[in-house]
Amino acid sequence: MGKRRPSGDGMVRKREDGRWEGRIVVGHKESGELIFRYLSAKTQKELLKKLHQNIEEYRDVDLNENSKMPLGQWLDRWLEEYAAPSVRPSTLEGYRGYVERNIKPYLGDKPVGKVTREDVQKLYRELQKNGRKELHPEYGYQLSGATIRRIHGVFHQAMETAVRENLIARNPTEGITLPKKKTAPKQILNDAQLERFLEVIRADSVWHDFFYTELTTGLRQGEICGLMWSDFDEAHGTLSVRRTLHIQKGGRVVTGETKTGTGKRTITLPPSTAQLLAQRKKHSYSQWIFPNPLRPEQPVSPSTAYNHLKMLLKRAGLPSIRFHDLRHTFATHALASGVDAKTLSGILGHTQASFTLDTYTHVTGDMQKRASEIVGGFMENIMVR
């Protein structure tokens, strides 16, 4: 058996039509057959330049025959074999949506080994202009910069795995220029609005306890919907967050892990909330703290809670904020009332207190201003003595 030719080994020839053609070895099939990359140019000098660039690119790379697999096929395989075991079901559904809607229609038929950085950049430009199937009231048919960045995150992971599996030499999503992420401003209920909202939920016997608990704990939407009585410690007035509910494609509600490792946490409830839950428990016939009003054996669906929130806000004459903005409302009022960022970070289930500070810079900025005024007044009192 002859010596195995290394990747990067190549040859050059002049074709009958006058163009120059070259090829380099980029890998080997299971049978030992060589896998070539072919290049052509008008002149020998131009071809040699291309060859040298490709030899450098494929140095120490040994692709396998799957490098000719269509990108769409590789993305399907990546989702099932690599992403599915490591992410939550709802996250996987999101990944699959980006692949099916945004990547496959444009590049799905192209061999994974031939996808270039230019292909990826062109894809993002197209998505930025015409990425939506339906007209959006704010963006038209354009995809927001934040959405394209999420698509890029999925695509990058898939192609990074392709590098490790010797399907491609380099990740074509590296070095891409991404659109700026425009973060939607956080909305909160101010003191007057919060008081009005509390008035409205007092009149709603079915939903009062749910929204009062949300406003005094800042739980994520799926977390509060997934609470069970086994999570409530009446003696100590605490609540353990152990799970979250996700809505899958088709509207099916499933139970899953919390968003992060620190998402599993035990929080001390305000006395009023602990008392409210203790009273509620006495009359409960469900394992869920907030069951489906029509089917008590099931938890309340996050989508049902969201829809009822919108109805309550409309009834109160308040802005149509998102459910997550109730969490922002809790956090903002907590910080403004003097709760330190480290403690609040633990209550919210943030990985780091620095994230809490970065998220609520508008509040901490005001707190710093008030602190400087207090210190300034203190120093002035000393100076006049």
Side-chain angles (χ1 to χ4, degrees), residues 122-323:
K122 184 179 178 181
L123 166 65
Y124 294 165
R125 284 197 298 267
E126 180 60 28
L127 291 178
Q128 200 168 4
K129 293 178 183 177
N130 301 298
R132 290 182 186 273
K133 303 300 180 187
E134 298 179 3
L135 187 68
H136 187 275
E138 182 180 353
Y139 297 108
Y141 290 100
Q142 300 178 1
L143 281 183
S144 68
T147 300
I148 291 175
R149 283 174 171 268
R150 287 194 289 271
I151 294 168
H152 173 74
V154 173
F155 202 3
H156 179 82
Q157 287 184 63
M159 300 308 272
E160 196 63 27
T161 305
V163 172
R164 293 197 300 271
E165 294 297 319
N166 293 320
L167 270 66
I168 56 177
R170 300 287 181 270
N171 188 336
T173 67
E174 293 283 1
I176 296 295
T177 301
L178 295 171
K180 291 182 179 179
K181 179 180 178 181
K182 295 180 181 178
T183 305
K186 295 175 183 62
Q187 299 184 78
I188 67 162
L189 298 176
N190 60 32
D191 289 348
Q193 292 172 329
L194 188 54
E195 187 175 341
R196 174 61 185 150
F197 186 71
L198 288 170
E199 286 177 8
V200 171
I201 66 172
R202 282 192 200 104
D204 192 325
S205 59
V206 176
W207 287 91
H208 170 267
D209 295 357
F210 179 90
F211 285 107
Y212 187 86
T213 302
E214 172 59 31
L215 287 169
T216 54
T217 59
L219 295 175
R220 297 181 178 93
Q221 186 174 357
E223 292 174 344
I224 188 169
C225 292
L227 289 174
M228 304 177 77
W229 284 118
S230 56
D231 303 324
F232 175 53
D233 185 339
E234 185 177 347
H236 296 92
T238 61
L239 195 61
S240 296
V241 183
R242 299 188 175 109
R243 73 195 66 79
T244 188
L245 299 187
H246 307 292
I247 301 177
Q248 288 191 328
K249 194 173 182 180
R252 191 165 70 95
V253 178
V254 297
T255 304
E257 296 290 322
T258 55
K259 186 175 182 181
T260 62
T262 51
K264 286 188 176 181
R265 60 201 186 276
T266 298
I267 60 176
T268 300
L269 295 168
S272 60
T273 308
Q275 185 178 0
L276 178 148
L277 292 182
Q279 287 298 317
R280 182 180 180 84
K281 187 178 181 181
K282 291 178 182 178
H283 308 287
S284 177
Y285 297 97
S286 172
Q287 64 176 329
W288 304 98
I289 294 182
F290 302 111
N292 183 321
L294 301 178
R295 296 181 178 178
E297 71 279 5
Q298 297 178 4
V300 64
S301 166
S303 59
T304 302
Y306 173 84
N307 292 333
H308 202 79
L309 169 65
K310 293 295 183 179
M311 188 180 74
L312 289 170
L313 290 168
K314 186 176 181 180
R315 188 182 298 168
L318 295 172
S320 183
I321 63 175
R322 306 167 303 164
F323 194 98

Side-chain angles (χ1 to χ4, degrees), residues 37 110 114-121 172:
R37 180 173 177 81
K110 191 162 189 174
K114 291 189 176 181
V115 176
T116 65
R117 184 182 298 175
E118 290 72 25
D119 291 330
V120 178
Q121 193 71 72

Side-chain angles (χ1 to χ4, degrees), residues 69-96:
M69 178 192 301
L71 175 65
Q73 186 180 337
W74 163 246
L75 291 173
D76 288 340
R77 179 179 159 189
W78 175 77
L79 285 169
E80 297 307 320
E81 296 181 16
Y82 299 90
S86 60
V87 300
R88 297 181 301 167
S90 60
T91 303
L92 184 65
E93 284 298 312
Y95 285 4
R96 187 171 281 114

Side-chain angles (χ1 to χ4, degrees), residues 329-368:
T329 296
F330 163 79
T332 299
H333 285 279
L335 281 170
S337 299
V339 177
D340 67 276
K342 181 68 176 175
T343 300
L344 181 60
S345 175
I347 295 172
L348 294 173
H350 286 165
T351 306
Q352 295 179 326
S354 58
F355 178 81
T356 307
L357 289 170
D358 289 342
T359 305
Y360 299 101
T361 49
H362 61 294
V363 189
T364 52
D366 291 340
M367 291 167 66
Q368 289 175 1

